[in-house]
Amino acid sequence: MKIPFIKAHGALNDFLLTRAEEAPAKDRAEFARALCDRHAGVGADGWLLVGSPETPGCHARIELYNSDGSVAEISGNGTRCAAAHLLYRGLEAETIRISTGAGVKSLRLVERSGHSFVFEMNMGRAEIRDLHASLPLAGGPRDAVILWVGNPQCAVPVEHFDFDWRAVGAEIERHPMFPDRTNVSFLRAVDEHTLEVRFFERGAGETMSSGTGSTGAVAAAVARGMARSSVRVLTPAGPLDIRWDDEIFLTGPAVITAEGVYLV
């Protein structure tokens, strides 16, 4: 068996994209783990299946598997990569509408240069579920904001990153407060228009950036009075820009880097 793929990354948050009709019909979680393995597979944070749209007015629908085989509702960076995939495959459109597990998302093409793209993506609205949560952890309680941006987010304000935030992120991801697990972002306010953020994502672990994680971090910071629109999110992979009108809009890159076939 052969599984064709395109590899792309959104600010170094990388994905393998396969047309749904070219993916195995069964055992997709197992294949996701194999494909995303960085030693025995191709290597990625997730596997995206791009299929024909079932929703009127959409260009495609996507199904996302994390690198551990679990299914995620949405990835902001991954959805931008899916839009890049469609344009790379020949779609001609300035606005791309993609159906995700978190609803239909609209992306506006801002810039294209070869296989590199920049999109502004409507991330929708953030739902704050607990503005001042106290998480009981092994090292003591942590102040956090629990929210929903199409997937579960836990945003943790910090003064610096000089601690083992990866271990804390792993503990929070699987905390009993989150029976379905959660994405975790650690955010430091640089000024009212700039946040520095680190990410520990559900089902993938540490990632170099996160679209929904950045959205959640900004929504939490705005709700706490730490920031106001517009906000530049400084990730280890570079900046993502977010503006907040009635809905949240994220601008960031998507770059296609490879095309190949995984041999099963």
Side-chain angles (χ1 to χ4, degrees):
M1 179 187 294
K2 298 180 179 180
I3 303 176
F5 68 85
I6 283 176
K7 184 163 184 176
H9 71 85
L12 302 189
N13 186 195
D14 57 340
F15 299 88
L16 304 173
L17 300 101
T18 298
R19 289 173 171 168
E21 64 269 22
E22 296 179 324
K26 298 180 179 180
D27 303 320
R28 286 180 169 177
E30 180 181 341
F31 282 114
R33 289 190 291 270
L35 279 159
C36 293
D37 188 288
R38 295 194 181 275
H39 300 285
V42 182
D45 292 322
W47 184 35
L48 276 163
L49 303 184
V50 183
S52 300
E54 297 176 346
T55 305
C58 285
H59 295 97
R61 59 180 172 84
I62 57 175
E63 183 178 4
L64 171 59
Y65 289 85
N66 293 316
S67 58
D68 71 351
S70 60
V71 177
E73 299 88 351
I74 186 174
S75 162
N77 289 337
T79 305
R80 292 201 313 278
C81 288
H85 173 275
L86 293 172
L87 295 177
Y88 176 74
R89 291 293 194 189
L91 175 68
E92 295 184 3
E94 293 297 320
T95 299
I96 301 98
R97 288 172 56 83
I98 298 175
S99 176
T100 76
V104 176
K105 299 300 177 183
S106 179
L107 302 95
R108 179 177 64 88
L109 178 63
V110 176
E111 181 182 326
R112 177 176 184 175
S113 177
H115 301 152
S116 298
F117 305 80
V118 176
F119 295 100
E120 181 186 68
M121 177 175 169
N122 185 336
M123 302 296 292
R125 294 180 174 87
E127 177 187 337
I128 305 292
R129 297 187 170 176
D130 192 338
L131 185 57
H132 295 282
S134 180
L135 304 178
L137 303 178
R142 279 274 179 181
D143 174 42
V145 178
I146 298 172
L147 66 161
W148 179 268
V149 295
N151 61 16
Q153 297 285 334
C154 180
V156 182
V158 299
E159 294 183 358
H160 55 78
F161 300 104
D162 189 20
F163 66 100
D164 193 351
W165 59 265
R166 297 170 184 84
V168 176
E171 183 180 1
I172 294 174
E173 179 201 7
R174 297 180 176 273
H175 196 279
M177 288 181 65
F178 308 106
D180 296 322
R181 297 191 290 167
T182 188
N183 298 285
V184 187
S185 59
F186 298 92
L187 61 114
R188 183 182 75 87
V190 177
D191 56 48
E192 64 180 2
H193 294 292
T194 312
L195 296 179
E196 188 177 5
V197 186
R198 300 291 183 270
F199 307 95
F200 196 94
E201 296 205 85
R202 179 182 59 166
E206 178 187 1
T207 57
M208 297 297 288
S209 70
S210 170
T212 55
S214 295
T215 301
V218 169
V222 170
R224 284 280 190 96
M226 300 165 57
R228 62 188 180 92
S229 184
S230 58
V231 177
R232 171 155 284 192
V233 178
L234 305 179
T235 80
L240 296 172
D241 291 309
I242 293 179
R243 63 181 177 90
W244 193 339
D245 297 326
D246 181 42
E247 296 178 305
I248 302 171
F249 294 84
L250 182 150
T251 299
V255 181
I256 293 174
T257 58
E259 185 172 5
V261 176
Y262 177 74
L263 304 177
V264 180

